[in-house]
Amino acid sequence: MSNSQNAMLVDGRRVEGRGGSREVFNPTNGTVLAVVADASREQAHEALAAARRAQPAWAALAPLERAAIMQRIAALITENAEELARIVVQEQGKPILEARGEIGGAAGFFSYYAEFARRIQGEILPSDARGEQIWIQRVPVGVVAAIIPWNYPAALVSRKVAPSMIAGNTIVLKPHEETPLSALYMARLFEKAGVPAGVVNIVTGSGAEIGEALTSHPDVNLITMTGSVPTGKRIMATASANLVPVSLELGGKAPFIVMDDADIDLAVRSAVTSRYMNCGQVCICNERTLVHARVYDRFVETFVAASRSLRLGDPLSEQTDLGPKVSARELEKVERIVEAAIGAGAEAVLKGGRPDTPPVAGGYWMTPTVLTGVEPAMPIMQDEIFGPVVPIMKVADFDEALAIANDSRYGLSAYLFTNDFSKIMRAVNDVNFGEVYINRVGPESLQGFHNGYRNSGLGGDDGVHGLEAFLRKKTVYANYSGTSPVGLMPYGG
Ligand code: NAD
């Protein structure tokens, strides 16, 4: 047992990891925010065993009983929203106004999925035989292993835990090793809400060690992971050895199309928000802006001016638009992407980077960069940037924009700004992405389905369709005729 604020949650007890420890940095000033113990592989396996033991009794509760606990979690997150938002800011670096939005989502997933207590339904089908019915029931998958990234360290906990709970599953979740504090704070709220032992377990540690210990374990029934494409592919390969299904929410390279009939001021404001929220570190961010030739010059000029005027600063201040990058590693990665793009012929109409006078010393600061003169095949137009850098390309018409947008190995989110109904309908039909925003920016809604095509993933966690991944089906052939059908059946599978 541990009294530490940052203890893990395993089998209903707050325990210290036995796998060594690591420093968690505050990206605003580069100082050590906390030292957090890693789980050992053995502890990860203990958490899975606890989840397995707890699952039958949890599934046996009436859904309304599970929902009541989830509503308490939602209420506790809301009561503690400001403290949790500040933890998110301190470990991850997004501006406080955005962090408050994230915590709203973190509570929202619990109250939204609690509403499904009366909505997980089965089906009754007619049988081929007399005196018989066929029932298809939705039943829990069992034990879920969940892996999340650093960019939404609180909301993504909820996005995995809430659907798992209402479905009657138990779960072991591993936060990203660089941002474990939000999840560990939420672990305290789960305990306080009266979540039974083993139903939700939070373990810390690296992906290679603890992520792998969870995802390679044979006694897991679903792996749900949000993160990068290479990690997603690795997890899928590992899971295949045990035939465990995977749900993967991976990277994005969202096209942001602006047509000449659009409200250009709205389009610029939206393009700015969509590129720079969370310092560009969102899977649905505007990663490549495609602008109609007739409005291109005006758009670029206004966009550059708006990018220049963003207030870089302490993310705990409500006056801040742009906080720091999450880590020195991520900052350096984005710097390399910009240099390579310029080396390949892109022109920096706004050249940002590390500011000469950072708002707070020691932080991982980066001001916006806007690139033009880009071609669709360039890496800057094909690879996820995940930072405050955007390439803008001039397109002759909607057909060209559509072709460039779809020419991507990613397929998560796409944006279109136009008031032309026929272009909107063509986008609905022909934009080959899992999520299309028309004349608005993200984020996605709880009741939507955030799912990526191609390398952006497999499945998703939200809405009615997200919940499906946490359930499986059981078919029951119920014969009440007193003469069970034997012999030749109409169809044999
Ligand atoms: P990442 O892949 O580096 O890490 C994600 C998680 O996977 C971490 O918890 C990490 O420890 C774990 N992990 C790493 N190796 C592992 C292994 N071998 N086995 C098991 N787990 C392992 O991703 P990141 O840098 O934290 O996140 C950024 C990426 O996440 C971006 O590509 C972004 O687009 C994507 N993302 C996608 C969505 C979405 O909904 N589609 C949402 C947020 C972020």
Side-chain angles (χ1 to χ4, degrees):
M1 287 289 275
S2 169
N3 292 323
S4 157
Q5 299 260 324
N6 295 323
M8 308 190 302
L9 180 63
V10 176
D11 202 10
R13 289 177 304 132
R14 312 282 315 295
V15 295
E16 284 299 331
R18 298 192 299 265
S21 63
R22 72 176 65 236
E23 295 173 328
V24 176
F25 292 92
N26 181 343
T28 299
N29 54 26
T31 60
V32 175
L33 188 58
V35 177
V36 172
D38 279 358
S40 63
R41 282 183 79 86
E42 194 188 17
Q43 283 177 302
H45 292 164
E46 280 167 19
L48 287 174
R52 177 61 64 197
R53 281 194 303 277
Q55 198 269 329
W58 178 245
L61 292 180
L64 270 185
E65 293 175 289
R66 294 199 292 271
I69 296 175
M70 294 170 65
Q71 292 288 16
R72 283 207 290 280
I73 296 173
L76 281 165
I77 293 173
T78 306
E79 270 167 41
N80 294 279
E82 193 57 23
E83 196 176 346
L84 188 48
R86 291 177 80 86
I87 292 171
V88 167
V89 173
Q90 285 167 341
E91 69 172 346
Q92 196 265 317
K94 64 168 60 77
I96 185 75
L97 294 178
E98 289 186 40
R100 288 180 188 142
E102 175 173 351
I103 305 311
F109 275 111
F110 281 98
S111 48
Y112 171 74
Y113 275 120
E115 291 171 14
F116 280 79
R118 296 190 177 96
R119 292 186 192 150
I120 297 176
Q121 300 171 357
E123 296 153 37
I124 300 176
L125 306 175
S127 169
D128 294 341
R130 292 181 192 161
E132 192 171 283
Q133 276 188 351
I134 302 171
W135 303 337
I136 298 181
Q137 300 192 339
R138 284 188 165 74
V139 297
V141 292
V143 171
V144 178
I147 307 280
I148 62 168
W150 46 260
N151 64 340
Y152 284 89
L156 292 179
V157 173
S158 300
R159 192 151 95 187
K160 307 289 186 199
V161 173
S164 173
M165 285 181 81
I166 197 63
N169 300 312
T170 53
I171 187 166
V172 181
L173 179 138
K174 187 194 86 62
H176 195 282
E177 50 272 39
E178 288 169 4
T179 54
L181 302 179
S182 311
L184 294 172
Y185 183 90
M186 290 172 77
R188 283 152 58 194
L189 302 184
F190 296 146
E191 195 183 27
K192 215 166 165 180
V195 175
V199 169
V200 179
N201 304 272
I202 310 281
V203 296
T204 48
S206 73
E209 187 70 17
I210 301 308
E212 174 83 20
L214 296 175
T215 54
S216 64
H217 199 283
D219 196 24
V220 167
N221 304 109
L222 169 70
I223 298 169
T224 167
M225 176 268 190
T226 303
S228 66
V229 174
T231 306
K233 288 183 176 173
R234 201 168 307 129
I235 287 176
M236 192 166 171
T238 306
S240 72
N242 298 315
L243 273 186
V244 175
V246 292
S247 167
L248 303 172
E249 294 182 324
L250 307 178
K253 187 71 187 168
F256 193 104
I257 302 172
V258 181
M259 285 292 103
D260 53 340
D261 68 292
D263 175 338
I264 300 302
D265 291 334
L266 172 70
V268 169
R269 277 200 312 280
S270 305
V272 165
T273 303
S274 172
R275 171 66 285 181
Y276 300 114
M277 60 185 168
N278 199 3
C279 202
Q281 304 167 128
V282 191
C283 55
I284 63 167
C285 269
N286 159 20
E287 283 263 332
R288 44 199 176 113
T289 310
L290 309 171
V291 184
H292 192 282
R294 264 197 289 271
V295 291
Y296 176 84
D297 289 341
R298 180 178 152 207
F299 182 95
V300 171
E301 191 184 323
T302 327
F303 184 87
V304 167
S307 303
R308 218 189 277 279
S309 69
L310 290 174
R311 294 162 301 181
L312 187 76
D314 184 342
L316 282 172
S317 160
E318 289 184 6
Q319 267 64 53
T320 289
D321 300 314
L322 201 60
K325 288 283 294 168
V326 71
S327 63
R329 174 182 46 80
E330 282 290 317
L331 170 59
E332 287 156 15
K333 188 194 85 184
V334 177
E335 279 179 331
R336 283 196 298 275
I337 290 173
V338 172
E339 290 316 317
I342 292 171
E347 184 197 344
V349 286
L350 177 63
K351 177 76 168 70
R354 298 183 199 225
D356 294 335
T357 47
V360 181
Y364 315 130
W365 303 102
M366 185 171 226
T367 60
T369 292
V370 180
L371 300 164
T372 56
V374 292
E375 296 293 332
M378 286 181 176
I380 193 78
M381 293 287 280
Q382 293 292 336
D383 302 337
E384 190 179 44
I385 302 166
F386 230 54
V389 174
V390 65
I392 307 183
M393 194 182 154
K394 189 190 291 185
V395 289
D397 52 31
F398 186 59
D399 285 326
E400 188 187 2
L402 198 55
I404 294 170
N406 284 338
D407 174 23
S408 175
R409 60 185 192 283
Y410 292 100
L412 185 57
S413 312
Y415 300 85
L416 172 62
F417 281 73
T418 183
N419 289 308
D420 178 338
F421 186 63
S422 68
K423 291 191 180 71
I424 291 174
M425 285 313 295
R426 282 200 59 200
V428 169
N429 293 320
D430 298 340
V431 170
N432 201 4
F433 285 68
E435 196 168 77
V436 185
Y437 294 94
I438 295 167
N439 294 325
R440 60 157 283 190
V441 295
E444 65 274 9
S445 297
L446 301 172
Q447 67 272 34
F449 186 45
H450 181 57
N451 73 127
Y453 298 172
R454 302 183 288 282
N455 272 10
S456 289
L458 285 174
D461 290 329
D462 35 17
V464 180
H465 300 286
L467 182 60
E468 281 295 321
F470 292 82
L471 294 160
R472 57 185 163 191
K473 288 157 194 92
K474 179 183 281 183
T475 307
V476 179
Y477 294 87
N479 183 282
Y480 55 90
S481 69
T483 53
S484 184
V486 284
L488 195 61
M489 296 294 288
Y491 170 80

